Amino acid sequence: MREIDRSAVKAKSERDYREEFLCSFEAFVLQTAHKVTSRYITKSDDTWSVAFFAFNEAIDAYELDKGSFIPFAEMVIRRRLYDHIRKESRADAELLVDPICFSGQPDPEAGDVALFRQVVDKTSVDMENRARWEIEAISQVLDSYGFCFMDLVSVSPKAKKTKTACARAVAFLMDHPDLMERMKTFKTLPATAIEKNLKIPRKILDRHRKYIIAAAEIVSGDYPVLSEYMTYIKKELSK
């Protein structure tokens, strides 16, 4: 058992040590919040409070059979921060999604920002509600892989060649249900099989692993609104 895991267990039961443990991991909490939001976070931000309380929650919920403490704590923080972002989005009557997550096409109005808030077509209330539901549903699925929906902003392919390679990888998974099942069961991309069969450079598969997994989950599930954004993948699937 790693020392940090023993320390987390001790912090759970000893209040005085818990304060020491919390202080020693402030940098980790800030770094995790930064990765989720892709912006600079300070202790004066609401995001810090949400992340800090989530870390406390992780200490209370941690058990040795949950694996290493750090990945577990990061998962809890990510989940709580995404819930916070989603609640803010609802309050602003906005939708937390952007087509760039899937198509790689830039939004000239949004600029180069990491956290996108784009209002879907207001002419269709049913479509908007459906999109909200799909994002909430896929977020829970991606949580089980250890990353969140907003991570796709930074890992989505931009170059045409890379988008095509990722689309081929998704199409390959769709054509091989055994590999898709393996991915969903073990929560990892079968990169070796994809690399061997499609000759896609491993560097591309590793760099865009989250995007490929998310796209495969979406096209194989009930997410018609989000699927509309994946034009390159739909073209590859139609071949």
Side-chain angles (χ1 to χ4, degrees), residues 40-143:
Y40 182 68
I41 302 297
T42 69
K43 291 184 180 180
S44 62
D45 295 328
D46 288 343
T47 302
W48 157 256
S49 298
V50 175
F52 186 74
F53 281 117
F55 187 74
N56 262 290
E57 178 186 347
I59 294 174
D60 291 332
Y62 180 66
E63 302 290 347
L64 293 178
D65 59 5
K66 293 183 182 294
S68 299
F69 174 72
I70 291 298
F72 174 74
E74 183 171 358
M75 179 190 70
V76 175
I77 293 172
R78 283 178 173 274
R79 184 178 298 156
R80 292 297 171 252
L81 283 176
Y82 188 76
D83 286 344
H84 173 68
I85 294 169
R86 194 166 57 202
K87 288 176 182 177
E88 284 192 331
S89 177
R90 285 172 177 167
D92 295 336
E94 295 177 338
L95 178 66
L96 191 62
V97 65
D98 193 286
I100 196 173
C101 292
F102 303 109
S103 68
Q105 300 299 318
D107 181 349
E109 295 182 359
D112 186 19
V113 295
L115 202 56
F116 292 97
R117 289 181 178 180
Q118 178 162 322
V119 182
V120 292
D121 187 357
K122 296 300 183 179
T123 61
S124 174
V125 175
D126 289 340
M127 182 67 74
E128 181 181 355
N129 290 336
R130 176 70 189 191
R132 290 181 184 278
W133 179 89
E134 289 184 18
I135 291 173
E136 292 183 10
I138 195 62
S139 294
Q140 294 180 17
V141 173
L142 299 184
D143 243 356

Side-chain angles (χ1 to χ4, degrees), residues 3-17:
E3 181 64 28
I4 193 169
D5 299 336
R6 289 196 295 267
S7 297
V9 172
K10 182 179 179 180
K12 181 178 180 178
S13 58
E14 299 182 19
R15 183 172 181 177
D16 291 339
Y17 180 74

